[in-house]
Amino acid sequence: MFNELVSYTARDFTGKREPKYKHPFLEATIIPPSSCIYNIDTVKDKCIILEGGTDVWRMGDETISLQGIETTKEQVRYLSEAGIKKAVIMFDSGKDDKARKLGYALSSVIPEIKIASLDSGDPGELSEEDAIKIKHELLYSY
């Protein structure tokens, strides 16, 4: 099921529209957006789990989004089938408790789970240089 469009999400970047995110009708999807793992096709055996697609855009390959900070049973099943051996969860600053909760939920399917914290902001707001440095430290330095 890799490399196939299964769903999509649109986002208002102007801040002038509600809702901020828009999803297709469930009948128009192969997998509901809430069950998708964005960018999973770039992951081999390790990844960084982020909140949203814009965070993944900044951080690049080997990063994924669960489309929020909650997880579904389908997402856990997909992650268990993906063969991931190491995952680092890095949510927006101030959400460490949610990251630990997700880490606990995934600890039965991913052997090594770490939590990374940002002092402020979110991964999508990092400079390209900082994103590369943080990603390298999280995935390859320990």
Side-chain angles (χ1 to χ4, degrees):
M1 190 172 292
F2 291 96
N3 297 320
E4 181 179 354
L5 179 63
V6 295
S7 189
Y8 64 88
T9 299
R11 184 185 191 283
D12 171 37
F13 283 96
T14 67
K16 298 177 182 177
R17 296 281 200 184
E18 288 296 328
K20 188 179 354 181
Y21 294 94
K22 186 158 178 109
H23 307 286
F25 292 109
L26 291 181
E27 297 82 19
T29 65
I30 295 173
I31 300 173
S34 62
S35 296
C36 290
I37 302 173
Y38 182 68
N39 209 38
I40 189 69
D41 55 320
T42 68
V43 173
K44 291 181 177 69
D45 64 345
K46 54 187 153 204
C47 68
I48 300 172
I49 300 173
L50 305 165
E51 278 187 58
T54 55
D55 298 330
V56 170
W57 297 345
R58 170 54 62 202
M59 299 296 290
D61 288 352
E62 298 180 293
T63 67
I64 61 173
S65 167
L66 302 178
Q67 310 299 345
I69 56 178
E70 302 295 328
T71 186
T72 64
K73 290 178 184 177
E74 291 86 4
Q75 288 172 322
V76 172
R77 182 173 56 83
Y78 296 148
L79 289 170
S80 71
E81 293 171 356
I84 298 170
K85 305 287 185 250
K86 174 184 178 178
V88 180
I89 302 168
M90 186 171 72
F91 287 161
D92 297 357
S93 65
K95 296 184 181 174
D96 291 346
D97 288 343
K98 297 285 189 178
R100 280 191 285 282
K101 180 180 175 187
L102 176 60
Y104 181 76
L106 295 177
S107 65
S108 65
V109 298
I110 299 175
E112 185 179 348
I113 300 275
K114 303 245 186 241
I115 309 299
S117 301
L118 290 174
D119 293 332
S120 63
D122 70 67
E125 298 171 342
L126 294 169
S127 69
E128 186 172 349
E129 182 179 301
D130 286 343
I132 291 168
K133 178 182 171 190
I134 289 170
K135 183 172 140 183
H136 187 272
E137 286 177 13
L138 295 177
L139 291 180
Y140 301 104
S141 294
Y142 64 89

